[in-house]
Amino acid sequence: MPRVAILTGSESDLPVLEPCVETLKALGIDSEVHVMSAHRSPGKVTEFASAAAGNGFEVIIGAAGMAAHLPGVIAAQTELPVIGVPIAQAGGSGLSGLDSLLSIAQMPPGIPVACMAVNGAKNAALFAAAILALKHDAVREALHKFRERQAI
Ligand code: RP5
């Protein structure tokens, strides 16, 4: 089963990420959620990101709010594709996620991060699935069925 790591900057982000976990599961993709911060636990991020490919992960989703450096810091330490989810929480920074959106989207040339919409957790799962579908037939079929089901 393909494996995705979901890393997020705080336990307070976890409710926003539920649709990501659920969507990956529905598509038959194994995922693990870990809380670690580019600012508060940089050593943990380095340890995880640099070992992720060797540990069998194929895609990493990085979610964070405010000055959201986590996805970029992950991407700097792995060649796996990294999908960023800017987080906006009720009562958060006051910038409604624009701060995290720009922090993730505006990566300098050389280290890309795929940036989803603010709180775009479900799309992060679907984008991860699209990447995995290039290699895994079961994911390609599951994604195809999902797209058929949501068609109106
Ligand atoms: C970021 O700071 C986290 O990703 C979270 O969105 C935000 C606030 O974190 P807490 O103060 O709730 O832990 O690093």
Side-chain angles (χ1 to χ4, degrees), residues 31-104:
S31 71
E32 281 180 24
V33 181
H34 298 278
V35 177
M36 57 188 74
S37 163
H39 309 105
R40 291 179 278 198
S41 49
K44 201 170 162 184
V45 178
T46 292
E47 195 180 334
F48 191 97
S50 56
N55 285 335
F57 293 102
E58 294 177 80
V59 177
I60 301 178
I61 294 170
M66 302 182 76
H69 297 127
L70 181 62
V73 169
I74 296 166
Q77 300 178 93
T78 180
E79 290 168 17
L80 293 175
V82 176
I83 302 168
V85 182
I87 301 275
Q89 299 185 33
S93 69
L95 295 178
S96 304
L98 184 59
D99 41 5
S100 29
L101 177 69
L102 296 179
S103 298
I104 294 174

